[in-house]
Amino acid sequence: MRKSSCCMYSCGAAGALLLLAGIALFASGLFQTLIHNKLKKEITLTEGSKVFATWKNPPPPVYMEFFFFNVTNPEAFLKGEAKARLSEMGPYTYREYRPKHNVSFVDNGTKVAAYTPKVFVFVPEKSVGDPSVDMVTTVNIPAVAVMNRIKGAGFLVSSAMSLYMKSIGAEMFMTHTVDELLWGFKDPLLTKLRSIKPETDEFFGLMLHKNGSDDGEFVYHTGEHNYLDYGRIFTWKGEKLMSFWKTNQSNMINGTDGSAFHPFLTKEERLDVFTADLCRSIHMRFEKEVEVKGIPAYRFTPPRAVLASGTNNPENEGFCLTPKKCLDDGVLDVSVCRQGAPVVVSFPHFHLGDEKYVQAVEGLSPVHEQHQTFLDLNPTMGVPVRAMKRAQINIHLERVTGFPMTRNLESTIFPIIFLNESVVIDNASAERIQKLLLVVTLVSHFPLILVALGVILLIVAVILAVRYYQNKTEVKRFDFAEAFHCTAPSAKKDTSYAPVSAKVDDQDEKNGTYIGMTPVDKS
């Protein structure tokens, strides 16, 4: 009995103590603050930090997929008899290697500088065909670029160039292999221009000089003094502002390069990302919660406002350099940073763009899940666990005075190719993050664990108390029954005589033998 009461009081005291301690720790947020501070110190671009090595040489494989738009009716389109009919060819997939080079700390170690060269290696098993054999018919971009550059030089100059182009067979459309269109071929028109302007490159390719090259030096904040600055770009090519666009707001280099984000992300945040391919910064907003290889993540994606026209989004007014020729929603003229070539970028199939761009040609069908750009980020660590960076390269076609081949053209944003640069976290990295997140969860919720243990012990104490008092009541009832049984014998029992053998006094001797208990009636 004493043992039961001792356990009861011990459980009750321990439970109450754990409950109070857990509530106090939870209210103070002590453990959550400790683990958050620990992660903020570890997630920095500094030597010896947990993420620095993987930042310099990311282990997950990055793939670049190219999808071409093959033109199946170029003659009918040029004659104005039909819309351009496009068939999508792809993917032609390349493994992308992008370790950072020349990594060095600057500004007393508060920032880190690096170059990120990219090397592309073809992956046959992830591709639809052989890029050295498969042929694609598309817009003759060098010819269009030349026409666009001299269209203000006068009718005589334009006519002379038109005659020369005709003599060498340069038409509005060209047919080349995938390899040639991507990595370059010697163009006869550019070769002629090189004789006039030696700085002209006589080779053309959508990815010309990109294999093994970089986008210039980036300087990043390490995040050591402020975790919100982790991975944020400080300068690009030595500049804090670009000079391509009309306004400082448009020329700002905002956010990260898309490979790193600060820990403890919230759904309300606006994530800024700078991309050299677009010559500008874009932003992303939370879309939904997802899970990648057992890791919870927030999906962030660019909203429609990112590529909206200046009319619908005043933030984008600075991206239109010719006010009377501003484009509508969903496209961005980047000729200013493409050596004057009339290059227009958009999302694939003009996703989030004005419907008129989709309807101008045949063969496009934007689908959100297939054509959106997104980042899946673990909110605790800010680590990208999956990403899809999708962009489409288009050429702005229009009628140019002095070039008869353009006389039937209407202003058209003509699709050439779209790219999908993708990455998914590898299994080894996923396992490490899962273990780290488990530790973070346990430590952060340690006060709740104490509360739960306290509640359990209090419940055990209550159960022991109930049993203790039940047993005590049963014992009392048993004792009372026994006592009643000894002092009240049944009347039905026969009387018995018990002679006393003990020594009696004289009076007893006079009266005769003494009979104990109840005397028996004589009869």
Side-chain angles (χ1 to χ4, degrees):
M1 193 74 69
R2 288 182 179 178
K3 186 176 181 181
S4 298
S5 63
C6 183
C7 289
M8 175 183 68
Y9 291 125
S10 298
C11 287
L17 183 62
L18 289 175
L19 182 62
L20 292 175
I23 293 174
L25 290 172
F26 179 77
S28 66
L30 177 61
F31 278 84
Q32 191 171 27
T33 300
L34 289 175
I35 194 65
H36 281 202
N37 290 338
K38 179 66 174 176
L39 280 179
K40 289 174 185 177
K41 291 180 180 179
E42 289 292 341
I43 302 179
T44 58
L45 297 180
T46 55
E47 287 285 2
S49 71
K50 296 289 186 182
V51 298
F52 189 62
T54 56
W55 176 79
K56 288 198 299 183
N57 190 11
V62 180
Y63 293 99
M64 177 69 87
E65 296 176 319
F66 297 98
F67 297 82
F68 286 87
F69 293 105
N70 183 55
V71 185
T72 60
N73 63 338
E75 293 84 6
F77 172 72
L78 285 177
K79 292 177 182 178
E81 297 174 351
K83 296 179 182 178
R85 190 179 305 116
L86 309 179
S87 64
E88 188 176 288
M89 294 175 58
Y92 295 90
T93 306
Y94 294 77
R95 171 77 184 272
E96 188 176 333
Y97 296 87
R98 47 193 309 172
K100 290 181 171 58
H101 287 181
N102 299 334
V103 178
S104 59
F105 291 94
V106 296
D107 290 352
N108 297 321
T110 60
K111 301 176 184 67
V112 59
Y115 292 83
T116 309
K118 299 177 183 179
V119 176
F120 298 89
V121 178
F122 182 62
V123 184
E125 60 272 20
K126 290 182 176 290
S127 304
V128 297
D130 186 345
S132 64
V133 175
D134 294 352
M135 308 296 289
V136 178
T137 298
T138 188
V139 173
N140 188 339
I141 300 176
V144 174
V146 170
M147 288 189 288
N148 188 69
R149 180 170 295 184
I150 68 172
K151 65 182 177 182
F155 180 78
L156 291 178
V157 175
S158 298
S159 297
M161 181 56 70
S162 177
L163 290 173
Y164 176 74
M165 289 172 60
K166 187 175 182 179
S167 68
I168 63 173
E171 299 179 350
M172 279 295 296
F173 288 91
M174 61 182 180
T175 301
H176 288 277
T177 65
V178 169
D179 263 344
E180 290 173 334
L181 289 174
L182 284 178
W183 310 112
F185 62 92
K186 190 175 182 179
D187 183 79
L189 180 58
L190 295 178
T191 301
K192 177 62 178 178
L193 289 179
R194 183 180 176 87
S195 64
I196 303 171
K197 289 187 175 183
E199 67 273 16
T200 302
D201 193 333
E202 59 184 336
F203 287 86
F204 169 80
L206 296 168
M207 296 290 290
L208 184 66
H209 307 312
K210 292 287 187 180
N211 201 348
S213 67
D214 57 74
D215 293 322
E217 184 189 55
F218 284 85
V219 177
Y220 307 88
H221 291 271
T222 63
E224 188 175 12
H225 297 299
N226 185 350
Y227 80 99
L228 293 174
D229 287 336
Y230 169 71
R232 186 167 64 85
I233 298 170
F234 179 64
T235 60
W236 175 49
K237 294 183 177 180
E239 301 292 338
K240 294 183 180 180
L241 282 174
M242 295 176 291
S243 57
F244 299 126
W245 313 108
K246 280 198 313 184
T247 63
N248 285 340
Q249 182 179 20
S250 298
N251 282 313
M252 291 178 65
I253 301 172
N254 298 323
T256 74
D257 62 0
S259 65
F261 294 88
H262 68 79
F264 309 114
L265 294 166
T266 66
K267 296 178 181 179
E268 293 73 30
E269 285 192 65
R270 164 177 161 156
L271 298 185
D272 292 312
V273 177
F274 174 76
T275 170
D277 295 331
L278 298 180
C279 309
R280 62 162 290 187
S281 301
I282 65 172
H283 69 270
M284 297 187 176
R285 293 288 189 181
F286 171 80
E287 182 184 52
K288 61 182 178 179
E289 294 186 21
V290 296
E291 185 176 289
V292 181
K293 295 187 176 181
I295 301 173
Y298 291 170
R299 173 163 294 180
F300 287 85
T301 187
R304 185 177 295 271
V306 166
L307 291 183
S309 65
T311 302
N312 294 326
N313 181 10
E315 290 186 6
N316 291 340
E317 288 180 351
F319 294 116
C320 179
L321 302 181
T322 53
K324 293 183 180 180
K325 295 185 178 181
C326 292
L327 300 175
D328 289 314
D329 290 354
V331 295
L332 174 68
D333 186 345
V334 294
S335 57
V336 66
C337 58
R338 290 292 185 273
Q339 299 179 347
V343 177
V344 175
V345 295
S346 67
F347 293 120
H349 288 236
F350 297 114
H351 174 57
L352 301 182
D354 193 297
E355 183 64 21
K356 71 178 184 180
Y357 297 127
V358 179
Q359 298 301 325
V361 296
E362 294 181 4
L364 299 184
S365 180
V367 178
H368 181 70
E369 291 74 15
Q370 297 177 11
H371 301 134
Q372 71 168 155
T373 289
F374 66 83
L375 285 168
D376 292 342
L377 306 172
N378 176 256
T380 302
M381 300 182 64
V383 176
V385 293
R386 179 170 55 197
M388 298 284 178
K389 177 185 173 183
R390 293 165 170 148
Q392 181 170 298
I393 298 175
N394 313 278
I395 293 296
H396 191 180
L397 297 183
E398 57 184 346
R399 188 178 297 112
V400 181
T401 303
F403 291 91
M405 68 179 72
T406 69
R407 63 177 174 268
N408 294 318
L409 292 181
E410 299 293 338
S411 180
T412 306
I413 307 300
F414 202 98
I416 305 297
I417 186 176
F418 84 78
L419 304 77
N420 178 24
E421 191 174 35
S422 63
V423 61
V424 180
I425 191 169
D426 60 290
N427 293 333
S429 299
E431 290 178 5
R432 287 195 297 269
I433 291 179
Q434 287 173 354
K435 292 177 181 177
L436 181 58
L437 291 176
L438 178 60
V439 173
V440 170
T441 301
L442 290 176
V443 174
S444 298
H445 292 81
F446 184 70
L448 296 180
I449 296 174
L450 293 181
V451 170
L453 289 175
V455 171
I456 292 172
L457 288 176
L458 287 175
I459 293 173
V460 171
V462 170
I463 294 173
L464 290 175
V466 171
R467 290 184 176 179
Y468 174 78
Y469 286 109
Q470 285 179 344
N471 291 337
K472 192 173 183 180
T473 302
E474 289 176 0
V475 169
K476 286 183 178 180
R477 288 177 180 173
F478 178 78
D479 291 343
F480 177 77
E482 286 294 323
F484 182 77
H485 176 73
C486 293
T487 57
S490 174
K492 293 181 181 181
K493 289 185 178 180
D494 293 337
T495 57
S496 60
Y497 298 94
V500 179
S501 60
K503 186 178 180 179
V504 297
D505 56 15
D506 295 341
Q507 185 64 33
D508 292 334
E509 291 176 354
K510 293 178 182 179
N511 294 333
T513 306
Y514 176 80
I515 304 300
M517 294 188 72
T518 305
V520 179
D521 293 337
K522 295 179 181 180
S523 56

